[in-house]
Amino acid sequence: MIPVPYRVRSRRPDRADTVTLTLDPVEGAAPPFLPGQFTMLYAPGVGEIPISISGHARAGGYVQTVRAVGAVSRALCRTRRGEIIGVRGPFGTHWDLGLAHGLDVVVAAGGLGLAPLRPVVRHLAAHGSRFGRITLLVGSRTPSTVIYPRELARWARDFDVLVTVDHPDRAWRGPTGLITKLVGRAVFDPARTYAFVCGPEIMMRATASLLADRGVRPGRIALSLERNMKCGIGRCGHCQLGPLFTCADGPVVTYDMAAPLLEVRQL
Amino acid sequence: MDVVLASLEPLIRALREGGHTVVGPTVRDGVIRFAELSSAADLPAGWRDEQEPGRYRLHASSGPAEVFGFAASPDSVKRYTHPPRSSLFRWIEDTAVETPVEAPRLALLGVRACDLAAIAVQDRVFLGGRHPDEAYRARREALFLIAVTCSTPGGTCFCASMGSGPRATTGFDVALTELADGFLAEPGTARGRDLLAALPHRPATEDDREAAERIESTAAARMGRRVDLDGIRERLVEQRESPLWDEIASRCLMCASCTMVCPTCFCVTTEDADDERFERWDSCFTLGFTELGGEPVRSSGGARYRQWLTHKFSTWVDQFGTYGCVGCGRCVTWCPAGIDLTEELRAVTEEAGTRDVTTQGTEASATVSTALERLR
């Protein structure tokens, strides 16, 4: 429960309320992480929250994207380059890319859900030959809340990238509406597809259910759950979802395991 | 091995001289509470408790002055192994300075079998996983545990149903059973055996052992409550969408009292005061417990009661391999609305859909008004 000091090496405001921090340990090396894992980020004197890891920093630390929604995330977004914050982790289960080898891959990200999927997409971009047809679907409230816009443009050279927004502005030429509409437009062989899905729970349920309806095996649809967490190590009890401790048994779970739990109101 | 002690005075003295702070039941504020004992005279000899849903009364007994003639008190061992609030670290000059763990050498005298079972449950929670809680371990290992057989279970007790009492079989250094003319004392560890050997005693006889067994079986037959565990895990999961959860919640005050007195409830939250970070007990009955992006996941009281009861009797088994309940009855006694967990378990798992919810509601308001009357 004791955080390790990390220095904010760079701070890049992504959008109005979203900041991507690059964090390096003040001393020693950062423990390795697997795509989909998270850390507990401590804003000194304010509090600690779980934030997914979006990539490796060049010096071995973590790239993490934070949206300012509460007291702690606002404090983290306000940190300046050179400042020290606390980090614990990495914790939790990961996106198992190995299981997708040789299969078509659908990555579906809703809003900030692209942050924990970024290491998956980067891996797909770097090792495309190991996989079948790759599709990245992104849903966002507005064009200006799409995170990592420059990378999206770069990834679009390697595979299909479809972005939809709920509320288009005048300049928007792409699709509008829910991400579920894009699932119908994506090209993949359902019997030979692995899906990585992350976003608001209602978006994940709708997307996963649609993918399953199209014939993707529920055991091949991975989701990343989000719950209130105080410890990240299965001790505080806050993140329980039925028998699961989301922090330790999740955040990444497969749809066959999650579906019966997510169906229960307020579980 | 087992011996009979005429008095507990030499035991307390020896533990104190050995560097232990001896803690045991005392009468405070009209209830039995754990506090430091300086002599056997501090023990609540002659006191009897009366426990029913939402009701606790302490009486001076007219009968023989039994030293342990009462059931579970609002305090449990949890207070010592997993304190209500503890400091984790201070963030000084860009680094975390860990708060040293306070692990005083405590000898707990008069621990009931249900509370020993609760320690075993908490051992699995805190020490069984990939991230053992070293502060818990230090406090736990500093304990010297002296159990006592329950002779007079309370009206809310159901340890016999949970298989955790009324007599301790494991997890103690010394176990006592109060006889008419002294205390049958059995060692559970080498240090317990050494302690007993050094005290004035007489060897236990077959009569003493038989008397202790009679006390145990009489107590087991006098449990105020019972639960039927057969198939309970599955049935609770099947009843996740039962309308009874909201009905129970209509009587529940969401006060979290049950989770505070529960000897196994382990949930915590964190608290930041300037540069210092604390961990303190939290409860799944609070709205903020599941808050995510400003909204609670379990916004309804029914969902919160369901979480608590289902965790205790179903998902706890998935997570830790035991039930999260030991049958001490504290949550029933200390519920200001008098909600009886054993009754609700029965209702949800056996009578789901058949019980007349309207009548239940009327009974419930009667219980609440009685509870409120008592508070005035």
Side-chain angles (χ1 to χ4, degrees), chain B residues 18 43 75 78 138 144 160 176 180 192 198 215 254 268 314 316-317 364 373:
Chain B
L43 290 163
D75 286 334
K78 179 169 90 170
F144 190 97
L176 304 173
I215 288 166
M254 302 289 146
V268 289
S314 183
W316 201 297
V317 187
E373 256 166 49

Side-chain angles (χ1 to χ4, degrees), chain B residues 35-83:
Chain B
E36 184 174 353
L37 304 174
S38 51
S39 90
D42 296 335
L43 290 163
W47 289 91
R48 294 261 171 147
D49 61 5
E50 183 193 325
Q51 299 196 38
E52 287 302 330
R55 183 174 172 80
Y56 182 102
R57 289 290 182 277
L58 213 51
H59 306 288
S61 155
S62 47
E66 235 184 303
V67 176
F68 299 108
F70 46 85
S73 64
D75 286 334
S76 72
V77 176
K78 179 169 90 170
R79 167 171 301 279
Y80 301 102
T81 50
H82 178 50

Side-chain angles (χ1 to χ4, degrees), chain A residues 228 235 238 265-267, chain B residues 131 268 282 289 291 300 306:
Chain A
N228 183 306
R235 210 187 277 165
H238 284 241
R265 185 185 51 96
Q266 298 185 21
L267 190 65
Chain B
H131 301 276
V268 289
D282 201 1
F289 193 80
E291 192 191 299
S300 79
R306 174 183 64 192

